[in-house]
Amino acid sequence: MIPVLPYTAEVLDSLLARYNAAIVPLPAAAVLVSVAILGHAARPVREGDRMASLFLAAAWAWVGIVFHLRYAATIDFMAPLYGGFFIAQAVLLLWTGVWRKQLVYRVGDHTAGRIGCGLAVLAIAGYPLLGLLAGHDWTSLPWVGAAPDPTALLTLGLLLTARPVRPHLLVVPVMWSLVAGMTALSLDTPERLVLPAAAILAVVVAERIRRTPTP
Amino acid sequence: MTRRIPHPDRRTVLASLAATAGLGTVPLRAADAPPLTRPIPATGERVPVVGMGTWITFNVGDDQGLRDRRLEVLRTFFELGGRVVDSSPMYGTAEDVIGYCLSRLPADVPLFSATKVWTWWQNNGPEQMAESRRLWGVERFDAMQIHNLLNWEGHLETLLADKQAGRVRLIGITTSHGSRHAEMERIMASRPVDLVQFTYNIVDREAERRLLPLAAERGLGVIVNRPFRQKQLFEMFARHKLPGWAGEIGCANWAQFFLKFVISHPAVTCAIPATSRVDHMRENMGALHGPLPDPAMRKRMVDYVENL
């Protein structure tokens, strides 16, 4: 059974448009940083891994606090709960990637890395483009680092490039993907199904990596 | 009828609205024929049998264009004889949007205000209800209902004290989607509530078995939510032709067919369909007029949709 959301797609678009307008130029900056992180994963730079984790943590915290708690909470009684999970993910990323330095992002010469890189590109450019093709106004497009769906998608992609796999960091993005999938079905916005599809792919790939014996 | 707190900028707002094409140009007037009404047993006050819900439809955030469109929906509702408006703090910005609309309508619209208290904690109830009054711009609510029976024992204690003090006129309890009927039945049978709200429509008729007869027996007002099962009934049946005999009960469209089935149950006080469109509001309010189906016709209506 598809859950009924307390708002319509039209209202969500309106909220995203007001949110995007209010946080300019943050989405553009977040896109540039995301591209730089992908560049680092391909050709590593010093301290790049910690900086990438710091950016991801900041993005999750921003989306949790500003998008969910400040904006989405006005139309969705579930948003405070989502906000809490996003903040928790930010803390996990800080702890694992910045404090303990356990996240090393490398595209490398392996399938998982390439898939991860593909998901990251999808998050940065493909996801907003899909929204545009689906008929959403450009002002209401979801941008990586600012909106929950592409942020979760970027995180899933980058985590696939990291070794070893850190399953605990996949939990919240995968949970959000389920929410995004239900939102897509409830609001009849099939373009948002990209995220749950990507999450399934990420979980399958991560599990294969985990089961593959290291030489 | 709800006493509204005068909006400080009403005159200015109405003057500017009147100058705006499409807004304020339609005078408020009663429908030509008096609408069908039913008494609320606790007070004897009669209310029109079609009210308005606000779940999803009035949760439009700060979007000015959408707010103004809802203003026209509410204006049409009152123009066509509506009174009962139902909402909840759970519905996002719906209460805020209702207040926005009411502040732009004449102060004497015959509003019957019904909202809910929706919090786990009894201590938060008074604060939440005060916030609802502020958002709607009313001094007190005609009906305050305990949403989905959430902490109903605690909130009922608060509401009984509020009723004694004149802060609320009627106390209600709600559920929806056919859930928790047994618990609702227990409360209806044993506690001093005035109104109950639950789901009832031509497909979901579980309430006919126990809740509706018990409400009649106990003298409780009944507000029916989801009379269209959100919009599923239209998706299920609207592609089919309305039966020729629908005209006998004054139904010109499926909305009126579904609504007349609900409001013709003798225990029902009013149904609260929600809509975001003026044309749909006009269709809904058409059910306020003409004959109501008798038991034989009600059975015919059920048989018809079950065989589609």
Side-chain angles (χ1 to χ4, degrees):
Chain A
M1 188 177 149
I2 301 165
V4 177
L5 298 175
Y7 52 85
T8 61
E10 183 184 32
V11 170
L12 180 59
D13 275 1
S14 167
L15 181 124
L16 277 166
R18 278 189 299 109
Y19 169 69
N20 283 341
I23 63 170
V24 164
L26 187 133
V31 166
L32 290 177
V33 175
S34 302
V35 172
I37 290 172
L38 267 187
H40 158 75
R43 301 187 64 171
V45 296
R46 197 164 166 267
E47 288 295 312
D49 294 318
R50 288 181 79 195
M51 290 298 110
S53 295
L54 185 62
F55 168 75
L56 283 181
W60 279 84
W62 173 275
V63 175
I65 295 167
V66 181
F67 179 78
H68 283 304
L69 296 182
R70 188 163 163 205
Y71 279 82
T74 61
I75 61 165
D76 185 357
F77 60 87
M78 290 294 285
L81 181 68
Y82 301 147
F85 277 107
F86 271 63
I87 293 166
Q89 176 74 3
V91 172
L92 288 175
L93 283 162
L94 273 180
W95 173 253
T96 311
V98 180
W99 183 256
R100 301 188 69 185
K101 303 180 189 176
Q102 287 180 335
L103 290 173
V104 178
Y105 307 100
R106 298 288 181 274
V107 175
D109 189 23
H110 48 82
T111 309
R114 289 194 204 100
I115 291 173
C117 185
L119 292 184
V121 170
L122 187 62
I124 296 166
Y127 201 81
L129 187 63
L130 277 174
L132 204 59
L133 292 173
H136 299 276
D137 192 82
W138 70 272
T139 57
S140 62
L141 295 180
W143 295 104
V144 72
D149 290 10
T151 302
L153 192 51
L154 176 73
T155 306
L156 288 170
L158 288 178
L159 289 175
L160 286 188
T161 70
R163 292 293 178 278
V165 171
R166 304 285 172 191
H168 67 286
L169 293 175
L170 292 172
V171 174
V172 175
V174 168
M175 281 169 58
W176 178 255
S177 302
L178 295 175
V179 173
M182 287 188 286
T183 303
L185 296 174
S186 179
L187 300 184
D188 195 19
T189 48
E191 69 279 4
R192 290 194 171 98
L193 289 172
V194 165
L195 182 53
I200 292 168
L201 178 65
V203 168
V204 169
V205 172
E207 182 59 18
R208 286 194 65 174
I209 297 167
R210 207 176 60 82
R211 285 168 182 263
T212 306
T214 43
Chain B
M1 188 172 104
T2 304
R3 281 180 63 196
R4 301 244 311 276
I5 299 167
H7 192 278
D9 297 316
R10 176 186 306 287
R11 197 173 291 276
T12 314
V13 170
L14 286 175
S16 64
L17 281 173
T20 308
L23 295 179
T25 54
V26 182
L28 278 176
R29 59 178 170 74
D32 294 338
L36 295 168
T37 59
R38 285 261 171 80
I40 296 169
T43 60
E45 175 186 10
R46 298 190 77 89
V47 293
V49 290
V50 179
M52 188 186 83
T54 55
W55 166 244
I56 300 178
T57 54
F58 271 59
N59 181 20
V60 299
D62 291 329
D63 189 299
Q64 192 61 43
L66 294 177
R67 281 177 172 238
D68 287 338
R69 275 152 61 183
R70 299 310 180 268
L71 169 60
E72 292 314 303
V73 170
L74 192 58
R75 187 194 305 279
T76 305
F77 173 71
F78 287 124
E79 275 180 13
L80 299 178
R83 282 193 64 195
V84 179
V85 178
D86 178 85
S87 192
S88 169
M90 183 196 179
Y91 302 169
T93 53
E95 290 192 302
D96 188 29
V97 174
I98 291 170
Y100 171 88
C101 297
L102 288 175
S103 71
R104 283 153 181 80
L105 291 170
D108 60 351
V109 291
L111 170 69
F112 181 98
S113 54
T115 194
K116 307 182 188 88
V117 56
W118 177 67
T119 168
W120 285 105
W121 298 278
Q122 184 181 357
N123 287 347
N124 288 357
E127 190 185 334
Q128 188 181 71
M129 290 185 268
E131 175 66 359
S132 292
R133 286 193 295 273
R134 187 188 71 76
L135 290 170
W136 284 61
V138 300
E139 289 177 356
R140 69 173 179 175
F141 282 101
D142 292 303
M144 180 59 74
Q145 306 154 96
I146 300 166
H147 197 145
N148 283 344
L149 306 181
L150 190 65
N151 188 8
W152 67 267
E153 284 171 304
H155 294 312
L156 185 57
E157 187 182 321
T158 304
L159 288 176
L160 287 170
D162 282 354
K163 190 176 175 186
Q164 193 80 27
R167 285 189 288 271
V168 63
R169 290 177 59 215
L170 301 162
I171 298 172
I173 52 173
T174 80
T175 182
S176 65
H177 297 74
S179 66
R180 301 178 73 179
H181 277 197
E183 191 172 4
M184 177 167 257
E185 189 181 330
R186 221 169 37 247
I187 301 168
M188 289 167 70
S190 61
R191 299 302 179 107
V193 294
D194 305 304
L195 292 167
V196 287
Q197 183 183 138
F198 45 77
T199 296
Y200 176 54
N201 57 57
I202 200 163
V203 172
D204 303 306
R205 301 190 303 277
E206 168 68 19
E208 285 176 353
R209 213 168 50 80
R210 294 290 308 145
L211 295 187
L212 285 163
L214 183 59
E217 181 190 320
R218 299 276 299 168
L220 306 179
V222 174
I223 298 176
V224 170
N225 60 40
R226 295 171 59 81
F228 301 144
R229 207 192 227 193
Q230 197 150 347
K231 52 187 173 186
Q232 284 179 32
L233 294 189
F234 296 104
E235 291 161 2
M236 290 164 75
F237 303 122
R239 66 181 180 279
H240 299 286
K241 265 185 69 175
L242 205 59
W245 43 263
E248 294 173 29
I249 47 169
C251 294
N253 50 58
W254 278 106
Q256 290 164 14
F257 187 90
F258 298 140
L259 282 174
K260 286 220 166 177
F261 174 80
V262 170
I263 62 181
S264 61
H265 191 290
V268 169
T269 308
C270 77
I272 48 168
T275 181
S276 56
R277 289 172 50 170
V278 168
D279 57 335
H280 288 172
M281 177 58 79
R282 289 187 185 283
E283 287 185 1
N284 295 349
M285 298 309 276
L288 275 179
H289 302 278
L292 284 178
D294 60 15
M297 180 61 90
R298 284 171 53 80
K299 184 174 181 316
R300 194 176 183 188
M301 294 166 89
V302 171
D303 289 345
Y304 183 77
V305 297
E306 284 186 346
N307 287 302
L308 286 177

PDB file of all heavy atoms in Angstrom, chain B residues 84-112:
ATOM      1  N   VAL B  84     -19.289  23.824   8.024  1.00  0.00           N
ATOM      2  CA  VAL B  84     -18.332  23.058   8.833  1.00  0.00           C
ATOM      3  C   VAL B  84     -16.994  22.928   8.110  1.00  0.00           C
ATOM      4  O   VAL B  84     -16.910  22.344   7.032  1.00  0.00           O
ATOM      5  CB  VAL B  84     -18.882  21.648   9.152  1.00  0.00           C
ATOM      6  CG1 VAL B  84     -17.866  20.858   9.978  1.00  0.00           C
ATOM      7  CG2 VAL B  84     -20.214  21.736   9.871  1.00  0.00           C
ATOM      8  N   VAL B  85     -15.952  23.489   8.707  1.00  0.00           N
ATOM      9  CA  VAL B  85     -14.592  23.358   8.171  1.00  0.00           C
ATOM     10  C   VAL B  85     -13.780  22.591   9.204  1.00  0.00           C
ATOM     11  O   VAL B  85     -13.753  22.962  10.381  1.00  0.00           O
ATOM     12  CB  VAL B  85     -13.951  24.735   7.911  1.00  0.00           C
ATOM     13  CG1 VAL B  85     -12.513  24.567   7.407  1.00  0.00           C
ATOM     14  CG2 VAL B  85     -14.777  25.531   6.906  1.00  0.00           C
ATOM     15  N   ASP B  86     -13.120  21.529   8.756  1.00  0.00           N
ATOM     16  CA  ASP B  86     -12.392  20.652   9.663  1.00  0.00           C
ATOM     17  C   ASP B  86     -10.910  20.633   9.299  1.00  0.00           C
ATOM     18  O   ASP B  86     -10.550  20.591   8.122  1.00  0.00           O
ATOM     19  CB  ASP B  86     -12.963  19.226   9.550  1.00  0.00           C
ATOM     20  CG  ASP B  86     -12.228  18.234  10.415  1.00  0.00           C
ATOM     21  OD1 ASP B  86     -12.569  18.122  11.603  1.00  0.00           O
ATOM     22  OD2 ASP B  86     -11.296  17.577   9.911  1.00  0.00           O
ATOM     23  N   SER B  87     -10.062  20.693  10.331  1.00  0.00           N
ATOM     24  CA  SER B  87      -8.629  20.630  10.064  1.00  0.00           C
ATOM     25  C   SER B  87      -7.910  19.948  11.227  1.00  0.00           C
ATOM     26  O   SER B  87      -8.562  19.305  12.068  1.00  0.00           O
ATOM     27  CB  SER B  87      -8.077  22.043   9.839  1.00  0.00           C
ATOM     28  OG  SER B  87      -6.776  21.980   9.308  1.00  0.00           O
ATOM     29  N   SER B  88      -6.583  20.094  11.248  1.00  0.00           N
ATOM     30  CA  SER B  88      -5.784  19.495  12.326  1.00  0.00           C
ATOM     31  C   SER B  88      -4.381  20.083  12.290  1.00  0.00           C
ATOM     32  O   SER B  88      -3.879  20.431  11.213  1.00  0.00           O
ATOM     33  CB  SER B  88      -5.702  17.983  12.125  1.00  0.00           C
ATOM     34  OG  SER B  88      -4.735  17.429  12.996  1.00  0.00           O
ATOM     35  N   PRO B  89      -3.736  20.161  13.447  1.00  0.00           N
ATOM     36  CA  PRO B  89      -2.327  20.584  13.454  1.00  0.00           C
ATOM     37  C   PRO B  89      -1.437  19.611  12.673  1.00  0.00           C
ATOM     38  O   PRO B  89      -0.323  19.953  12.279  1.00  0.00           O
ATOM     39  CB  PRO B  89      -1.945  20.565  14.937  1.00  0.00           C
ATOM     40  CG  PRO B  89      -3.208  20.491  15.690  1.00  0.00           C
ATOM     41  CD  PRO B  89      -4.233  19.872  14.797  1.00  0.00           C
ATOM     42  N   MET B  90      -1.941  18.405  12.455  1.00  0.00           N
ATOM     43  CA  MET B  90      -1.161  17.420  11.703  1.00  0.00           C
ATOM     44  C   MET B  90      -1.061  17.769  10.222  1.00  0.00           C
ATOM     45  O   MET B  90      -0.192  17.273   9.523  1.00  0.00           O
ATOM     46  CB  MET B  90      -1.830  16.049  11.858  1.00  0.00           C
ATOM     47  CG  MET B  90      -1.123  14.905  11.202  1.00  0.00           C
ATOM     48  SD  MET B  90      -2.286  13.534  11.084  1.00  0.00           S
ATOM     49  CE  MET B  90      -1.300  12.318  10.262  1.00  0.00           C
ATOM     50  N   TYR B  91      -1.958  18.648   9.743  1.00  0.00           N
ATOM     51  CA  TYR B  91      -2.044  18.890   8.302  1.00  0.00           C
ATOM     52  C   TYR B  91      -1.098  19.989   7.824  1.00  0.00           C
ATOM     53  O   TYR B  91      -1.463  20.806   6.966  1.00  0.00           O
ATOM     54  CB  TYR B  91      -3.478  19.260   7.911  1.00  0.00           C
ATOM     55  CG  TYR B  91      -4.543  18.252   8.260  1.00  0.00           C
ATOM     56  CD1 TYR B  91      -5.894  18.578   8.167  1.00  0.00           C
ATOM     57  CD2 TYR B  91      -4.223  16.967   8.680  1.00  0.00           C
ATOM     58  CE1 TYR B  91      -6.887  17.665   8.486  1.00  0.00           C
ATOM     59  CE2 TYR B  91      -5.205  16.060   9.012  1.00  0.00           C
ATOM     60  CZ  TYR B  91      -6.531  16.401   8.916  1.00  0.00           C
ATOM     61  OH  TYR B  91      -7.507  15.497   9.243  1.00  0.00           O
ATOM     62  N   GLY B  92       0.096  20.045   8.381  1.00  0.00           N
ATOM     63  CA  GLY B  92       1.093  21.016   7.921  1.00  0.00           C
ATOM     64  C   GLY B  92       0.606  22.444   8.068  1.00  0.00           C
ATOM     65  O   GLY B  92       0.252  22.870   9.168  1.00  0.00           O
ATOM     66  N   THR B  93       0.561  23.164   6.964  1.00  0.00           N
ATOM     67  CA  THR B  93       0.181  24.581   7.013  1.00  0.00           C
ATOM     68  C   THR B  93      -1.326  24.799   6.831  1.00  0.00           C
ATOM     69  O   THR B  93      -1.765  25.942   6.671  1.00  0.00           O
ATOM     70  CB  THR B  93       0.921  25.361   5.908  1.00  0.00           C
ATOM     71  OG1 THR B  93       0.698  24.711   4.659  1.00  0.00           O
ATOM     72  CG2 THR B  93       2.398  25.465   6.181  1.00  0.00           C
ATOM     73  N   ALA B  94      -2.114  23.731   6.861  1.00  0.00           N
ATOM     74  CA  ALA B  94      -3.549  23.871   6.557  1.00  0.00           C
ATOM     75  C   ALA B  94      -4.243  24.880   7.470  1.00  0.00           C
ATOM     76  O   ALA B  94      -5.031  25.710   7.012  1.00  0.00           O
ATOM     77  CB  ALA B  94      -4.243  22.513   6.647  1.00  0.00           C
ATOM     78  N   GLU B  95      -3.963  24.810   8.772  1.00  0.00           N
ATOM     79  CA  GLU B  95      -4.643  25.734   9.687  1.00  0.00           C
ATOM     80  C   GLU B  95      -4.216  27.180   9.413  1.00  0.00           C
ATOM     81  O   GLU B  95      -5.032  28.105   9.496  1.00  0.00           O
ATOM     82  CB  GLU B  95      -4.346  25.357  11.130  1.00  0.00           C
ATOM     83  CG  GLU B  95      -5.017  24.065  11.563  1.00  0.00           C
ATOM     84  CD  GLU B  95      -4.950  23.865  13.058  1.00  0.00           C
ATOM     85  OE1 GLU B  95      -3.820  23.845  13.606  1.00  0.00           O
ATOM     86  OE2 GLU B  95      -6.003  23.728  13.692  1.00  0.00           O
ATOM     87  N   ASP B  96      -2.958  27.357   9.104  1.00  0.00           N
ATOM     88  CA  ASP B  96      -2.463  28.695   8.772  1.00  0.00           C
ATOM     89  C   ASP B  96      -3.159  29.216   7.510  1.00  0.00           C
ATOM     90  O   ASP B  96      -3.542  30.391   7.421  1.00  0.00           O
ATOM     91  CB  ASP B  96      -0.943  28.619   8.568  1.00  0.00           C
ATOM     92  CG  ASP B  96      -0.317  29.984   8.418  1.00  0.00           C
ATOM     93  OD1 ASP B  96      -0.859  30.949   8.977  1.00  0.00           O
ATOM     94  OD2 ASP B  96       0.716  30.087   7.733  1.00  0.00           O
ATOM     95  N   VAL B  97      -3.330  28.335   6.545  1.00  0.00           N
ATOM     96  CA  VAL B  97      -3.964  28.730   5.279  1.00  0.00           C
ATOM     97  C   VAL B  97      -5.458  29.025   5.499  1.00  0.00           C
ATOM     98  O   VAL B  97      -6.002  29.970   4.927  1.00  0.00           O
ATOM     99  CB  VAL B  97      -3.745  27.646   4.198  1.00  0.00           C
ATOM    100  CG1 VAL B  97      -4.516  27.974   2.928  1.00  0.00           C
ATOM    101  CG2 VAL B  97      -2.258  27.514   3.890  1.00  0.00           C
ATOM    102  N   ILE B  98      -6.108  28.244   6.363  1.00  0.00           N
ATOM    103  CA  ILE B  98      -7.511  28.544   6.696  1.00  0.00           C
ATOM    104  C   ILE B  98      -7.600  29.951   7.287  1.00  0.00           C
ATOM    105  O   ILE B  98      -8.458  30.759   6.918  1.00  0.00           O
ATOM    106  CB  ILE B  98      -8.072  27.511   7.701  1.00  0.00           C
ATOM    107  CG1 ILE B  98      -8.227  26.149   7.042  1.00  0.00           C
ATOM    108  CG2 ILE B  98      -9.428  27.971   8.257  1.00  0.00           C
ATOM    109  CD1 ILE B  98      -8.545  25.035   8.030  1.00  0.00           C
ATOM    110  N   GLY B  99      -6.685  30.253   8.220  1.00  0.00           N
ATOM    111  CA  GLY B  99      -6.683  31.582   8.832  1.00  0.00           C
ATOM    112  C   GLY B  99      -6.452  32.672   7.802  1.00  0.00           C
ATOM    113  O   GLY B  99      -7.109  33.728   7.834  1.00  0.00           O
ATOM    114  N   TYR B 100      -5.539  32.399   6.876  1.00  0.00           N
ATOM    115  CA  TYR B 100      -5.274  33.358   5.789  1.00  0.00           C
ATOM    116  C   TYR B 100      -6.559  33.611   5.002  1.00  0.00           C
ATOM    117  O   TYR B 100      -6.912  34.761   4.714  1.00  0.00           O
ATOM    118  CB  TYR B 100      -4.183  32.781   4.880  1.00  0.00           C
ATOM    119  CG  TYR B 100      -3.961  33.552   3.604  1.00  0.00           C
ATOM    120  CD1 TYR B 100      -3.067  34.626   3.569  1.00  0.00           C
ATOM    121  CD2 TYR B 100      -4.635  33.204   2.436  1.00  0.00           C
ATOM    122  CE1 TYR B 100      -2.867  35.343   2.400  1.00  0.00           C
ATOM    123  CE2 TYR B 100      -4.431  33.909   1.264  1.00  0.00           C
ATOM    124  CZ  TYR B 100      -3.543  34.973   1.244  1.00  0.00           C
ATOM    125  OH  TYR B 100      -3.351  35.683   0.088  1.00  0.00           O
ATOM    126  N   CYS B 101      -7.261  32.550   4.672  1.00  0.00           N
ATOM    127  CA  CYS B 101      -8.489  32.686   3.866  1.00  0.00           C
ATOM    128  C   CYS B 101      -9.582  33.394   4.669  1.00  0.00           C
ATOM    129  O   CYS B 101     -10.241  34.306   4.158  1.00  0.00           O
ATOM    130  CB  CYS B 101      -8.987  31.317   3.418  1.00  0.00           C
ATOM    131  SG  CYS B 101      -7.854  30.449   2.332  1.00  0.00           S
ATOM    132  N   LEU B 102      -9.768  32.977   5.919  1.00  0.00           N
ATOM    133  CA  LEU B 102     -10.839  33.568   6.729  1.00  0.00           C
ATOM    134  C   LEU B 102     -10.619  35.063   6.922  1.00  0.00           C
ATOM    135  O   LEU B 102     -11.563  35.848   6.934  1.00  0.00           O
ATOM    136  CB  LEU B 102     -10.919  32.873   8.092  1.00  0.00           C
ATOM    137  CG  LEU B 102     -11.484  31.451   8.097  1.00  0.00           C
ATOM    138  CD1 LEU B 102     -11.380  30.832   9.493  1.00  0.00           C
ATOM    139  CD2 LEU B 102     -12.940  31.440   7.627  1.00  0.00           C
ATOM    140  N   SER B 103      -9.359  35.462   7.054  1.00  0.00           N
ATOM    141  CA  SER B 103      -9.084  36.882   7.284  1.00  0.00           C
ATOM    142  C   SER B 103      -9.383  37.718   6.047  1.00  0.00           C
ATOM    143  O   SER B 103      -9.428  38.943   6.131  1.00  0.00           O
ATOM    144  CB  SER B 103      -7.620  37.064   7.711  1.00  0.00           C
ATOM    145  OG  SER B 103      -6.765  36.824   6.614  1.00  0.00           O
ATOM    146  N   ARG B 104      -9.571  37.059   4.929  1.00  0.00           N
ATOM    147  CA  ARG B 104      -9.883  37.767   3.684  1.00  0.00           C
ATOM    148  C   ARG B 104     -11.333  37.596   3.254  1.00  0.00           C
ATOM    149  O   ARG B 104     -11.708  38.013   2.169  1.00  0.00           O
ATOM    150  CB  ARG B 104      -8.920  37.305   2.575  1.00  0.00           C
ATOM    151  CG  ARG B 104      -7.552  37.939   2.737  1.00  0.00           C
ATOM    152  CD  ARG B 104      -6.432  37.114   2.155  1.00  0.00           C
ATOM    153  NE  ARG B 104      -5.163  37.787   2.380  1.00  0.00           N
ATOM    154  CZ  ARG B 104      -4.481  37.769   3.525  1.00  0.00           C
ATOM    155  NH1 ARG B 104      -4.971  37.108   4.571  1.00  0.00           N
ATOM    156  NH2 ARG B 104      -3.340  38.418   3.645  1.00  0.00           N
ATOM    157  N   LEU B 105     -12.113  36.934   4.079  1.00  0.00           N
ATOM    158  CA  LEU B 105     -13.547  36.780   3.821  1.00  0.00           C
ATOM    159  C   LEU B 105     -14.317  37.643   4.826  1.00  0.00           C
ATOM    160  O   LEU B 105     -13.777  37.993   5.883  1.00  0.00           O
ATOM    161  CB  LEU B 105     -13.950  35.307   3.963  1.00  0.00           C
ATOM    162  CG  LEU B 105     -13.413  34.361   2.873  1.00  0.00           C
ATOM    163  CD1 LEU B 105     -13.668  32.903   3.248  1.00  0.00           C
ATOM    164  CD2 LEU B 105     -14.041  34.678   1.526  1.00  0.00           C
ATOM    165  N   PRO B 106     -15.554  37.979   4.513  1.00  0.00           N
ATOM    166  CA  PRO B 106     -16.334  38.773   5.468  1.00  0.00           C
ATOM    167  C   PRO B 106     -16.381  38.122   6.847  1.00  0.00           C
ATOM    168  O   PRO B 106     -16.423  36.892   6.972  1.00  0.00           O
ATOM    169  CB  PRO B 106     -17.724  38.810   4.827  1.00  0.00           C
ATOM    170  CG  PRO B 106     -17.474  38.618   3.375  1.00  0.00           C
ATOM    171  CD  PRO B 106     -16.294  37.711   3.268  1.00  0.00           C
ATOM    172  N   ALA B 107     -16.394  38.958   7.868  1.00  0.00           N
ATOM    173  CA  ALA B 107     -16.336  38.450   9.246  1.00  0.00           C
ATOM    174  C   ALA B 107     -17.565  37.629   9.611  1.00  0.00           C
ATOM    175  O   ALA B 107     -17.532  36.846  10.559  1.00  0.00           O
ATOM    176  CB  ALA B 107     -16.185  39.620  10.214  1.00  0.00           C
ATOM    177  N   ASP B 108     -18.671  37.801   8.841  1.00  0.00           N
ATOM    178  CA  ASP B 108     -19.897  37.110   9.233  1.00  0.00           C
ATOM    179  C   ASP B 108     -20.139  35.808   8.473  1.00  0.00           C
ATOM    180  O   ASP B 108     -21.255  35.303   8.443  1.00  0.00           O
ATOM    181  CB  ASP B 108     -21.100  38.042   9.066  1.00  0.00           C
ATOM    182  CG  ASP B 108     -21.267  38.504   7.612  1.00  0.00           C
ATOM    183  OD1 ASP B 108     -20.354  38.228   6.795  1.00  0.00           O
ATOM    184  OD2 ASP B 108     -22.294  39.127   7.296  1.00  0.00           O
ATOM    185  N   VAL B 109     -19.094  35.261   7.836  1.00  0.00           N
ATOM    186  CA  VAL B 109     -19.309  33.941   7.220  1.00  0.00           C
ATOM    187  C   VAL B 109     -19.695  32.968   8.334  1.00  0.00           C
ATOM    188  O   VAL B 109     -19.140  33.032   9.437  1.00  0.00           O
ATOM    189  CB  VAL B 109     -18.065  33.415   6.446  1.00  0.00           C
ATOM    190  CG1 VAL B 109     -17.814  34.227   5.192  1.00  0.00           C
ATOM    191  CG2 VAL B 109     -16.843  33.353   7.326  1.00  0.00           C
ATOM    192  N   PRO B 110     -20.669  32.071   8.058  1.00  0.00           N
ATOM    193  CA  PRO B 110     -21.238  31.259   9.147  1.00  0.00           C
ATOM    194  C   PRO B 110     -20.378  30.045   9.501  1.00  0.00           C
ATOM    195  O   PRO B 110     -20.842  28.899   9.502  1.00  0.00           O
ATOM    196  CB  PRO B 110     -22.586  30.835   8.568  1.00  0.00           C
ATOM    197  CG  PRO B 110     -22.326  30.749   7.100  1.00  0.00           C
ATOM    198  CD  PRO B 110     -21.330  31.812   6.764  1.00  0.00           C
ATOM    199  N   LEU B 111     -19.131  30.300   9.804  1.00  0.00           N
ATOM    200  CA  LEU B 111     -18.176  29.207  10.051  1.00  0.00           C
ATOM    201  C   LEU B 111     -18.546  28.375  11.272  1.00  0.00           C
ATOM    202  O   LEU B 111     -18.834  28.910  12.335  1.00  0.00           O
ATOM    203  CB  LEU B 111     -16.778  29.829  10.251  1.00  0.00           C
ATOM    204  CG  LEU B 111     -15.676  28.898  10.744  1.00  0.00           C
ATOM    205  CD1 LEU B 111     -15.309  27.882   9.666  1.00  0.00           C
ATOM    206  CD2 LEU B 111     -14.433  29.704  11.152  1.00  0.00           C
ATOM    207  N   PHE B 112     -18.500  27.069  11.087  1.00  0.00           N
ATOM    208  CA  PHE B 112     -18.510  26.137  12.210  1.00  0.00           C
ATOM    209  C   PHE B 112     -17.106  25.528  12.217  1.00  0.00           C
ATOM    210  O   PHE B 112     -16.751  24.755  11.344  1.00  0.00           O
ATOM    211  CB  PHE B 112     -19.575  25.049  12.013  1.00  0.00           C
ATOM    212  CG  PHE B 112     -19.653  24.060  13.147  1.00  0.00           C
ATOM    213  CD1 PHE B 112     -20.616  24.189  14.143  1.00  0.00           C
ATOM    214  CD2 PHE B 112     -18.755  23.003  13.233  1.00  0.00           C
ATOM    215  CE1 PHE B 112     -20.680  23.272  15.195  1.00  0.00           C
ATOM    216  CE2 PHE B 112     -18.807  22.084  14.273  1.00  0.00           C
ATOM    217  CZ  PHE B 112     -19.782  22.220  15.256  1.00  0.00           C
TER     218      PHE B 112
END
